[in-house]
Protein backbone atom coordinates (compact mmCIF):
# COMPACT_ATOMS: atom_id res chain seq x y z
CA UNK A 1 0.00 0.00 0.00
CA UNK A 2 1.51 3.31 -1.12
CA UNK A 3 1.17 5.98 1.55
CA UNK A 4 1.00 9.75 1.26
CA UNK A 5 3.06 12.01 3.51
CA UNK A 6 0.11 12.72 5.88
CA UNK A 7 -0.75 9.01 6.04
CA UNK A 8 2.83 8.02 6.84
CA UNK A 9 3.14 10.78 9.44
CA UNK A 10 -0.11 9.82 11.16
CA UNK A 11 0.79 6.13 11.42
CA UNK A 12 4.28 6.92 12.70
CA UNK A 13 2.80 9.32 15.27
CA UNK A 14 0.50 6.68 16.78
CA UNK A 15 1.65 4.69 19.80
CA UNK A 16 0.61 1.11 19.06
CA UNK A 17 0.65 0.19 22.74
CA UNK A 18 -1.69 2.96 23.89
CA UNK A 19 -3.58 3.56 20.66
CA UNK A 20 -3.11 7.32 21.00
CA UNK A 21 -0.75 9.86 19.47
CA UNK A 22 2.75 10.42 20.83
CA UNK A 23 2.17 14.17 20.38
CA UNK A 24 -0.27 16.53 22.05
CA UNK A 25 -3.13 17.83 19.91
CA UNK A 26 -1.51 21.18 19.16
CA UNK A 27 1.79 19.69 18.05
CA UNK A 28 0.11 16.93 16.07
CA UNK A 29 -2.14 19.49 14.40
CA UNK A 30 0.88 21.51 13.27
CA UNK A 31 2.70 18.37 12.10
CA UNK A 32 -0.35 17.17 10.15
CA UNK A 33 -0.72 20.61 8.60
CA UNK A 34 2.92 20.56 7.52
CA UNK A 35 2.46 17.06 6.08
CA UNK A 36 -0.62 18.11 4.11
CA UNK A 37 1.07 21.20 2.65
CA UNK A 38 4.22 19.19 1.90
CA UNK A 39 2.13 16.69 -0.05
CA UNK A 40 0.52 19.49 -2.04
CA UNK A 41 3.97 20.88 -2.84
CA UNK A 42 5.40 17.50 -3.81
CA UNK A 43 2.38 16.76 -6.00
CA UNK A 44 2.74 20.11 -7.76
CA UNK A 45 -0.69 21.27 -6.59
CA UNK A 46 0.94 24.20 -4.77
CA UNK A 47 4.27 25.95 -5.14
CA UNK A 48 6.04 28.95 -3.64
CA UNK A 49 6.31 31.86 -6.07
CA UNK A 50 9.81 33.06 -6.89
CA UNK A 51 11.23 36.53 -7.43
CA UNK A 52 9.95 38.33 -10.52
CA UNK A 53 7.22 35.80 -11.25
CA UNK A 54 4.36 37.47 -13.16
CA UNK A 55 1.08 37.70 -11.28
CA UNK A 56 2.42 36.37 -7.99
CA UNK A 57 4.19 37.90 -5.01
CA UNK A 58 7.46 36.17 -4.16
CA UNK A 59 7.34 33.76 -1.24
CA UNK A 60 3.59 33.20 -1.48
CA UNK A 61 1.81 29.96 -2.23
CA UNK A 62 0.21 29.72 -5.66
CA UNK A 63 -1.93 26.94 -7.06
CA UNK A 64 -0.71 24.71 -9.86
CA UNK A 65 -2.18 21.96 -12.00
CA UNK A 66 -0.76 18.90 -10.22
CA UNK A 67 -3.09 16.09 -9.16
CA UNK A 68 -3.21 15.37 -5.44
CA UNK A 69 -5.12 13.47 -2.78
CA UNK A 70 -8.76 14.66 -2.99
CA UNK A 71 -8.87 14.77 0.82
CA UNK A 72 -6.36 17.63 0.70
CA UNK A 73 -8.10 19.71 -1.97
CA UNK A 74 -10.21 21.78 0.49
CA UNK A 75 -6.96 23.10 1.98
CA UNK A 76 -5.74 24.61 -1.29
CA UNK A 77 -8.24 27.44 -1.61
CA UNK A 78 -7.74 28.40 2.04
CA UNK A 79 -4.01 29.03 1.75
CA UNK A 80 -3.39 30.22 -1.81
CA UNK A 81 -1.82 33.66 -1.69
CA UNK A 82 -0.41 33.15 1.80
CA UNK A 83 3.20 32.82 2.84
CA UNK A 84 4.08 29.45 4.45
CA UNK A 85 3.83 30.55 8.10
CA UNK A 86 0.24 31.91 8.05
CA UNK A 87 -0.72 29.07 5.69
CA UNK A 88 0.51 26.56 8.23
CA UNK A 89 -1.31 28.38 11.04
CA UNK A 90 -4.56 28.32 9.07
CA UNK A 91 -4.36 24.60 8.34
CA UNK A 92 -3.22 23.69 11.85
CA UNK A 93 -5.80 25.83 13.62
CA UNK A 94 -5.80 24.83 17.28
CA UNK A 95 -5.24 21.18 16.47
CA UNK A 96 -8.84 20.27 17.30
CA UNK A 97 -11.30 18.26 15.19
CA UNK A 98 -12.77 21.37 13.56
CA UNK A 99 -9.47 22.64 12.17
CA UNK A 100 -8.48 21.79 8.58
CA UNK A 101 -5.70 19.51 9.82
CA UNK A 102 -8.10 17.93 12.31
CA UNK A 103 -10.56 17.15 9.52
CA UNK A 104 -7.79 15.57 7.43
CA UNK A 105 -6.68 13.54 10.42
CA UNK A 106 -10.22 12.28 11.04
CA UNK A 107 -10.68 11.36 7.39
CA UNK A 108 -7.40 9.45 7.33
CA UNK A 109 -8.26 7.59 10.54
CA UNK A 110 -11.70 6.66 9.21
CA UNK A 111 -10.21 5.47 5.92
CA UNK A 112 -7.53 3.44 7.72
CA UNK A 113 -10.25 1.83 9.83
CA UNK A 114 -12.30 0.99 6.73
CA UNK A 115 -9.24 -0.58 5.11
CA UNK A 116 -8.42 -2.59 8.23
CA UNK A 117 -5.10 -0.85 8.82
CA UNK A 118 -6.36 0.54 12.15
CA UNK A 119 -9.13 -0.54 14.51
CA UNK A 120 -11.18 2.04 16.39
CA UNK A 121 -11.65 1.36 20.11
CA UNK A 122 -13.60 3.38 22.66
CA UNK A 123 -12.96 3.57 26.39
CA UNK A 124 -16.29 3.87 28.21
CA UNK A 125 -17.39 4.85 31.70
CA UNK A 126 -21.01 4.46 32.83
CA UNK A 127 -21.91 3.69 29.23
CA UNK A 128 -20.39 6.90 27.86
CA UNK A 129 -17.42 6.99 25.51
CA UNK A 130 -14.74 9.26 27.00
CA UNK A 131 -11.71 8.36 24.90
CA UNK A 132 -11.09 7.02 21.42
CA UNK A 133 -8.08 4.82 20.69
CA UNK A 134 -6.67 3.52 17.43
CA UNK A 135 -5.10 0.10 17.62
CA UNK A 136 -3.51 -1.95 14.89
CA UNK A 137 -6.04 -3.56 12.56
CA UNK A 138 -6.00 -6.84 10.68
CA UNK A 139 -3.80 -5.43 7.90
CA UNK A 140 -0.74 -5.15 10.08
CA UNK A 141 1.55 -5.52 7.10
CA UNK A 142 0.96 -1.84 6.21
CA UNK A 143 2.36 -0.51 9.48
CA UNK A 144 5.03 -3.20 9.59
CA UNK A 145 6.29 -2.18 6.15
CA UNK A 146 6.22 1.52 7.08
CA UNK A 147 8.12 0.91 10.31
CA UNK A 148 10.71 -1.20 8.53
CA UNK A 149 11.20 1.38 5.79
CA UNK A 150 11.37 4.25 8.30
CA UNK A 151 14.14 2.50 10.20
CA UNK A 152 16.02 1.88 6.96
CA UNK A 153 15.76 5.57 6.07
CA UNK A 154 16.88 6.60 9.55
CA UNK A 155 19.88 4.31 9.11
CA UNK A 156 20.80 6.16 5.90
CA UNK A 157 18.95 4.20 3.20
CA UNK A 158 18.13 5.71 -0.20
CA UNK A 159 15.40 8.27 -0.60
CA UNK A 160 11.77 7.33 0.00
CA UNK A 161 9.65 10.42 -0.62
CA UNK A 162 6.69 10.07 1.79
CA UNK A 163 8.72 8.40 4.54
CA UNK A 164 11.58 10.91 4.30
CA UNK A 165 9.16 13.82 4.45
CA UNK A 166 7.15 12.36 7.34
CA UNK A 167 10.33 11.71 9.34
CA UNK A 168 11.60 15.21 8.60
CA UNK A 169 8.35 16.70 9.89
CA UNK A 170 8.44 14.52 13.01
CA UNK A 171 11.96 15.82 13.56
CA UNK A 172 10.62 19.37 13.31
CA UNK A 173 8.23 18.46 16.13
CA UNK A 174 11.15 16.92 18.09
CA UNK A 175 9.23 13.64 18.04
CA UNK A 176 11.67 11.17 16.49
CA UNK A 177 12.99 10.00 19.88
CA UNK A 178 9.39 9.40 20.98
CA UNK A 179 8.54 7.52 17.80
CA UNK A 180 11.70 5.39 17.96
CA UNK A 181 12.61 5.17 21.65
CA UNK A 182 14.97 2.24 21.09
CA UNK A 183 17.27 4.26 18.81
CA UNK A 184 19.92 6.78 19.98
CA UNK A 185 18.32 10.22 20.28
CA UNK A 186 21.37 12.15 19.07
CA UNK A 187 21.66 10.04 15.93
CA UNK A 188 17.92 10.43 15.28
CA UNK A 189 18.14 14.20 15.52
CA UNK A 190 21.17 14.34 13.22
CA UNK A 191 19.44 12.20 10.61
CA UNK A 192 16.25 14.21 11.10
CA UNK A 193 18.11 17.39 10.16
CA UNK A 194 19.20 15.78 6.89
CA UNK A 195 15.67 14.64 6.07
CA UNK A 196 14.14 17.99 7.00
CA UNK A 197 16.46 19.63 4.46
CA UNK A 198 14.49 17.85 1.73
CA UNK A 199 17.48 16.31 -0.05
CA UNK A 200 15.10 13.72 -1.49
CA UNK A 201 13.06 16.33 -3.41
CA UNK A 202 13.63 18.21 -6.65
CA UNK A 203 15.40 21.57 -6.44
CA UNK A 204 12.20 23.61 -6.85
CA UNK A 205 10.25 21.54 -4.32
CA UNK A 206 13.23 21.61 -1.95
CA UNK A 207 13.16 25.41 -1.88
CA UNK A 208 9.46 25.34 -1.08
CA UNK A 209 9.93 22.71 1.61
CA UNK A 210 12.69 24.81 3.18
CA UNK A 211 10.19 27.65 3.54
CA UNK A 212 7.66 25.23 5.02
CA UNK A 213 10.21 23.85 7.49
CA UNK A 214 11.07 27.38 8.67
CA UNK A 215 7.37 28.11 9.04
CA UNK A 216 6.86 24.95 11.06
CA UNK A 217 9.64 25.94 13.44
CA UNK A 218 8.09 29.38 13.92
CA UNK A 219 4.61 27.98 14.50
CA UNK A 220 5.88 25.35 16.95
CA UNK A 221 7.61 28.06 18.99
CA UNK A 222 4.63 30.43 19.11
CA UNK A 223 1.76 27.95 19.51
CA UNK A 224 3.26 24.97 21.30
CA UNK A 225 6.54 25.69 23.11
CA UNK A 226 5.84 29.20 24.43
CA UNK A 227 2.37 28.43 25.91
CA UNK A 228 3.79 25.33 27.60
CA UNK A 229 6.66 27.34 29.09
CA UNK A 230 4.29 30.04 30.32
CA UNK A 231 2.01 27.54 32.06
CA UNK A 232 4.88 25.71 33.80
Amino acid sequence: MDLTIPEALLLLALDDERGTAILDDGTLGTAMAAAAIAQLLVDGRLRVAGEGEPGAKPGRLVSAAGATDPRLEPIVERIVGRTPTPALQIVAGFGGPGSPSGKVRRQLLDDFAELGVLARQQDRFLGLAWRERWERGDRREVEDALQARAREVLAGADDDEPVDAALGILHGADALPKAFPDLPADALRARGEELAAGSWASAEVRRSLASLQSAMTAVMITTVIMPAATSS
Side-chain angles (χ1 to χ4, degrees), residues 14-20 133-136:
L14 284 176
D15 185 323
D16 289 332
E17 294 286 331
R18 296 183 295 125
T20 56
R133 293 183 292 107
W134 296 89
E135 298 180 352
R136 301 184 74 190

Side-chain angles (χ1 to χ4, degrees), residues 43-211:
D43 289 342
R45 186 66 182 89
L46 286 176
R47 57 186 178 80
V48 177
E51 291 286 345
E53 188 172 323
K57 293 183 178 180
R60 295 182 181 269
L61 292 165
V62 295
S63 61
T68 193
D69 186 334
R71 296 171 295 190
L72 304 182
E73 272 295 334
I75 292 174
V76 175
E77 64 183 43
R78 300 194 63 165
I79 59 176
V80 164
R82 307 274 185 171
T83 57
T85 297
L88 193 60
Q89 291 171 324
I90 290 169
V91 179
F94 294 102
S99 66
S101 67
K103 291 177 181 179
V104 169
R105 178 185 174 191
R106 168 54 60 178
Q107 183 66 64
L108 297 184
L109 289 170
D110 288 344
D111 290 347
F112 277 140
E114 185 174 344
L115 292 169
V117 176
L118 296 175
R120 182 190 286 107
Q121 303 293 337
Q122 289 183 328
D123 293 332
R124 293 180 173 272
F125 180 72
L126 298 178
L128 299 176
W130 63 276
R131 185 176 67 171
E132 192 172 62
R133 293 183 292 107
W134 296 89
E135 298 180 352
R136 301 184 74 190
D138 293 332
R139 292 189 60 188
R140 297 192 169 198
E141 71 276 7
V142 175
E143 274 200 274
D144 288 345
L146 173 61
Q147 278 286 331
R149 185 55 183 156
R151 288 172 180 273
E152 290 173 352
V153 168
L154 289 170
D158 293 339
D159 298 340
D160 187 311
E161 188 175 276
V163 177
D164 286 20
L167 292 172
I169 292 167
L170 283 174
H171 168 71
D174 197 23
L176 286 180
K178 295 179 183 177
F180 303 93
D182 59 313
L183 299 179
D186 288 346
L188 285 174
R189 291 190 173 99
R191 179 61 172 147
E193 282 292 329
E194 296 174 359
L195 296 170
S199 59
W200 45 270
S202 67
E204 180 179 351
V205 172
R206 188 158 59 246
R207 287 192 293 271
S208 298
L209 290 173
S211 299

